[in-house]
């Protein structure tokens, strides 16, 4: 990367490009962990109008490079990471780390004592390295396909102020 990514809040006009990042991330980064049928079903989530509604309802951050979105992440309520997707062209360059650093600070600012995520099998190692601990395995149906994920949790602070 020639320059460091920047972060900004989501805008409604970002929805199509974030949908494209979502589909590309799933299509190109999760193939070792999910079947093609599962990837197709997961990618199709972005075709639903609900996709943009959720991004707007959650606290969604967009990572940009030279003003173009390259990744995004969202916080539901004060303590659950709902989305984390990075474009394959910039994978393993710290974009997700930057997004989750920011969400952890925002969650702390909202008073969260811990943060949870239902991590894809692709993302488990990313979250484990950041101190998230696996709580349980889940099977969820997405567009008729069963996909496994792992609920993980990180303690942000031990004591209430
Ligand atoms: C998971 C994902 C968001 C990571 O994004 P990223 O920007 O590549 O992550 P980072 O560069 O910040 O990674 C930081 C560290 O996490 C670990 N990590 C990241 N991706 C990993 C992977 N696929 N396998 C193993 N470790 C990984 C590495 O230790 C990495 O550091 P390193 O590159 O110096 O070894 C990205 O792979 C993605 O979009 N995946 C598809 C969608 C998905 O599964 N989203 C999660 C839904 S919960």
């Amino acid at each position: 990367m020639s320059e460091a990514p920047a972060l900004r809040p989501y805008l409604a006009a970002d929805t199509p490009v974030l949908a494209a990042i979502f589909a590309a991330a799933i299509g190109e980064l999760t193939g070792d962990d999910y079947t093609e049928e599962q990837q197709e079903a997961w990618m199709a989530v972005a075709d639903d109008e609900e996709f943009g509604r959720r991004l707007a309802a959650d606290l969604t951050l967009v990572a940009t490079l030279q003003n173009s979105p390259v990744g995004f992440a969202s916080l539901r309520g004060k303590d659950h990471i709902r989305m984390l997707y990075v474009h394959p062209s910039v994978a393993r360059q710290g974009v997700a780390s930057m997004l989750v650093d920011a969400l952890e600070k925002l969650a702390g600012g909202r008073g969260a004592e811990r943060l949870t995520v239902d991590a894809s099998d692709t993302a488990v190692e990313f979250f484990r390295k950041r101190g998230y601990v696996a709580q349980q395995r889940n099977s969820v149906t997405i567009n008729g396909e069963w996909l496994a994920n792992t609920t993980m949790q990180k303690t942000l602070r031990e004591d209430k102020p």
Side-chain angles (χ1 to χ4, degrees):
M1 259 185 297
S2 53
E3 71 179 75
L7 295 184
R8 63 164 174 77
Y10 159 84
L11 303 167
D14 293 323
T15 304
V17 69
L18 300 196
I21 292 169
F22 178 87
I26 295 164
E28 295 181 43
L29 298 174
T30 70
D32 290 346
D33 306 299
Y34 298 95
T35 66
E36 273 181 37
E37 290 75 15
Q38 289 173 319
Q39 289 175 299
E40 293 291 335
W42 187 3
M43 286 157 75
V45 167
D47 300 338
D48 202 313
E49 276 182 23
E50 185 66 17
F51 181 78
R53 274 201 292 271
R54 281 186 185 169
L55 293 174
D58 293 346
L59 196 172
T60 301
L61 296 179
V62 178
T64 61
L65 271 176
Q66 291 164 342
N67 293 323
S68 295
V70 291
F72 64 99
S74 65
L75 183 69
R76 191 186 71 205
K78 66 179 165 85
D79 59 10
H80 187 75
I81 296 175
R82 171 136 59 181
M83 296 238 188
L84 176 64
Y85 293 87
V86 168
H87 196 277
S89 63
V90 298
R92 302 301 285 263
Q93 295 179 44
V95 173
S97 300
M98 191 179 191
L99 284 161
V100 175
D101 278 344
L103 286 192
E104 288 176 359
K105 289 197 180 79
L106 289 163
R110 285 180 166 187
E113 286 158 34
R114 61 195 71 80
L115 204 43
T116 58
V117 62
D118 293 333
S120 73
D121 290 352
T122 309
V124 160
E125 187 58 16
F126 168 86
F127 283 108
R128 195 189 62 73
K129 288 221 164 101
R130 299 187 61 89
Y132 289 72
V133 177
Q135 308 287 304
Q136 63 179 52
R137 287 283 281 168
N138 313 298
S139 283
V140 293
T141 37
I142 302 179
N143 294 318
E145 287 284 328
W146 286 95
L147 280 81
N149 65 36
T150 304
T151 302
M152 301 180 81
Q153 180 174 294
K154 178 175 180 172
T155 302
L156 296 179
R157 57 168 182 228
E158 298 294 341
D159 301 309
K160 286 186 180 177

